[in-house]
Amino acid sequence: MTTLQPTASWAERTAQHTGLGVYLLGIVAFGVSASRSETGTGWVVAVVIAVGLTARGAILHRPLTATHVTAAIVCLLLACLGYADGRPHLGFVLVVVSGWVLVWPVPSVPQPEEYPRIEALVQRTAGDPLAPFALNSAKSYFFDPSGTAAIAYRTRAGIAVVSGDPIGDARAFGNLPTRFTTFAEARGWRVAVLAASEHTARLWQNRVDGRSPLRAVDIGCDVVVDVTRFSLDGRRFRNLRQAVQRSRNAGVSTEILSERDVSAALRGQLFEIVAETRGGHQRRGFSMILDHLLDGVLPGMMIVVARDRHGRPVGFQRYGTAHHKNEWSLDVPWRSARAPNGTDERMVVDVVEHVRRRGGTSVSLAFAPFPRLFSDTGTGVRQRMLRTTLRLGSSVIALESLYRYLHKFHAAAGRRYVLFGPRYVVPAAYAMLASEFVPHREHSPRRDSRRSGRNRHGSTPAGRRTLS
């Protein structure tokens, strides 16, 4: 289990001090060499910048690993050669880079081997549409001391980006933000939170540990269907009712099954739809999209397949489950150009009926970002300009078509927020955007379950969905 270690061990502190001492000796040796090269005093500025970067890293508690120190010393050696060869500009850059790489933040390590524990916590989590997305394979996990709750996160550029809300026993959530912040700071990471609910945002802001509170920015809301109350009756749902009826008239049928029960033949047909509609299997996403599509690696995944009147698959949707499989959350929908009108709506409605028959409570359809921009009241100049900008990015997030689709369900729910420290808003924004939109490698649980006494975090281990 990833547990909190408030202080480094004597050996770790000795290694840190040794590494810093080696680098500073390297800086002194470089200074002596550069002063003899008769290339001016520009190298002094480079040394000041490098030492400043090193001091900043020390203030942030960035760990100095053997790799960091080695890379920094190599940069200094190359800088010496640059000055000796009459290339002071190259030497200047290499000296600055040496300080930069010395305190480069250590990344988090994905922990797909924790899937069984994480799935158990997801199934204990109630009322959180993003809980199933804790299983994205790029994530690492921080558990509370009792192991009954956890935070999913990933680091980029020294920012630990927390995904959504904690999972597990809600009674253990209260101290998790403070514990995780201490854990992150001990590793030189600063904290940002992506897609937190209103309640969790308050937890991050109301910490009593003396730290500055994180700033919260409203970014949208969940769209969640209450299956116990849902009905196609009435004028309000006329468009949805008509779309479903069109699919029935076209002979569309649906099948709902566990992802791990998908046959090889059906998997091949579904991947043909993926290739047709998206140009290939994409592996991006963090807080609201899952990876490992159709390979059965992620637990708790369900699939609804739509077939035309000839029995050929023309679309499918993948759902993660939470709270004893009573709450379903749509991952990413896939639809062939051959699919009759109303196929997407038909799949959702049939899933809602399936969950209701099983005694479930909700089906989450999407996260709706910036809802005010597409509301009837969003007619101002600023709103129109922002809508135009979002349309230019429609190849990534087709927001306008997403809202037209979601409006048929009339199911807006709780709001979501991003949280960050005002002093590092730019790296936090980069880290969150890169986590969501830059493709990542899929990580699978290691077949060899033997694990060392410490993971690469230096801690002791234990034995969405926008339209993409």
Side-chain angles (χ1 to χ4, degrees):
M1 170 168 43
T2 301
T3 54
L4 185 63
Q5 290 186 337
T7 58
S9 68
W10 179 86
E12 289 171 335
R13 291 196 300 270
T14 300
Q16 292 277 98
H17 294 156
T18 301
L20 181 60
V22 169
Y23 176 72
L24 293 178
L25 286 175
I27 283 285
V28 172
F30 163 78
V32 172
S33 174
S35 64
R36 296 175 178 175
S37 63
E38 298 182 355
T39 55
T41 58
W43 61 270
V44 177
V45 177
V47 167
V48 170
I49 295 174
V51 172
L53 290 171
T54 302
R56 178 178 178 272
I59 292 172
L60 292 175
H61 305 290
R62 295 269 174 86
L64 306 184
T65 68
T67 301
H68 288 84
V69 176
T70 301
I73 294 300
V74 168
C75 287
L76 289 177
L77 291 174
L78 294 176
C80 288
L81 294 176
Y83 275 98
D85 195 39
R87 299 181 181 181
H89 294 90
L90 177 61
F92 184 98
V93 171
L94 286 170
V95 172
V96 173
V97 169
S98 73
W100 183 63
V101 300
L102 181 70
V103 293
W104 183 254
V106 175
S108 60
V109 180
Q111 295 176 293
E113 65 273 11
E114 297 284 9
Y115 279 163
R117 296 183 66 205
I118 295 302
E119 169 64 4
L121 295 182
V122 167
Q123 294 305 330
R124 294 182 62 179
T125 305
D128 181 7
L130 300 190
F133 298 94
L135 291 165
N136 185 298
S137 74
K139 294 178 179 178
S140 304
Y141 305 104
F142 177 84
F143 296 86
D144 85 309
S146 66
T148 59
I151 281 175
Y153 69 97
R154 185 186 184 188
T155 63
R156 280 185 180 271
I159 304 294
V161 181
V162 174
S163 173
D165 294 352
I167 56 173
D169 186 351
R171 294 171 296 182
F173 291 177
N175 293 326
L176 267 179
T178 298
R179 290 180 178 275
F180 179 77
T181 301
T182 303
F183 166 81
E185 289 178 348
R187 286 146 185 82
W189 302 331
R190 291 173 290 186
V191 177
V193 186
L194 179 58
S197 68
E198 187 171 359
H199 173 70
T200 299
R202 287 197 297 267
L203 291 179
W204 285 100
Q205 291 186 302
N206 294 339
R207 295 175 301 171
V208 292
D209 54 6
R211 298 182 178 93
S212 300
L214 300 181
R215 178 175 297 175
V217 177
D218 181 352
I219 58 170
C221 64
D222 295 313
V223 178
V224 182
V225 175
D226 182 346
V227 303
T228 64
R229 299 182 179 182
F230 179 78
S231 172
L232 289 176
D233 297 335
R235 181 180 180 84
R236 193 181 186 200
F237 292 98
R238 182 179 61 182
N239 290 340
L240 179 59
R241 185 170 60 250
Q242 291 174 343
V244 172
Q245 188 58 46
R246 282 195 296 269
S247 74
R248 289 173 176 156
N249 294 341
V252 172
S253 61
T254 63
E255 177 188 13
I256 299 173
L257 67 162
S258 169
E259 184 178 65
R260 290 180 171 176
D261 293 335
V262 174
S263 66
L266 177 57
R267 184 179 297 111
Q269 293 174 314
L270 298 183
F271 271 126
E272 289 178 5
I273 296 174
V274 173
E276 174 189 345
T277 57
R278 307 288 176 170
H281 183 186
Q282 297 185 9
R283 294 177 174 86
R284 65 177 180 84
F286 174 65
S287 63
M288 305 176 190
I289 300 178
L290 291 164
D291 49 10
H292 281 290
L293 182 64
L294 299 176
D295 63 9
V297 169
L298 303 184
M301 298 296 111
M302 301 295 294
I303 300 290
V304 54
V305 181
R307 302 177 186 271
D308 62 18
R309 64 173 70 253
H310 305 292
R312 297 175 301 183
V314 292
F316 72 98
Q317 295 172 349
R318 184 198 203 194
Y319 289 81
T321 62
H323 196 218
H324 312 296
K325 299 191 176 180
N326 290 322
E327 300 175 6
W328 291 36
S329 294
L330 176 61
D331 180 15
V332 177
W334 306 91
R335 181 177 179 273
S336 169
R338 298 178 285 105
N341 289 336
T343 297
D344 287 323
E345 292 88 341
R346 173 69 179 283
M347 286 190 285
V348 170
V349 168
D350 285 2
V351 165
V352 169
E353 292 297 329
H354 175 83
V355 174
R356 176 159 44 199
R357 288 194 301 269
R358 290 173 53 91
T361 56
S362 66
V363 174
S364 173
L365 300 183
F367 166 75
F370 316 118
R372 292 188 182 91
L373 292 180
F374 295 93
S375 66
D376 295 336
T377 59
T379 57
V381 174
R382 184 179 179 184
Q383 286 85 349
R384 290 199 299 270
M385 292 177 62
L386 287 172
R387 278 199 294 267
T388 300
T389 302
L390 291 172
R391 287 190 187 105
L392 295 176
S394 61
S395 60
V396 179
I397 305 176
L399 285 182
E400 203 160 13
S401 61
L402 172 67
Y403 274 103
R404 285 197 300 269
Y405 173 76
L406 294 177
H407 184 68
K408 299 176 182 179
F409 293 90
H410 302 283
R415 307 201 70 79
R416 294 278 170 180
Y417 299 82
V418 296
L419 295 100
F420 51 84
R423 290 181 298 177
Y424 52 89
V425 58
V426 173
Y430 162 77
M432 289 187 284
L433 290 172
S435 295
E436 284 291 354
F437 296 110
V438 175
H440 63 265
R441 182 170 66 89
E442 289 180 343
H443 302 272
S444 298
R446 296 190 297 269
R447 292 183 179 180
D448 184 357
S449 61
R450 292 173 299 176
R451 301 169 64 185
S452 63
R454 290 181 180 271
N455 62 24
R456 285 167 57 190
H457 295 172
S459 56
T460 305
R464 149 148 132 167
R465 298 143 299 135
T466 54
L467 206 63
S468 59

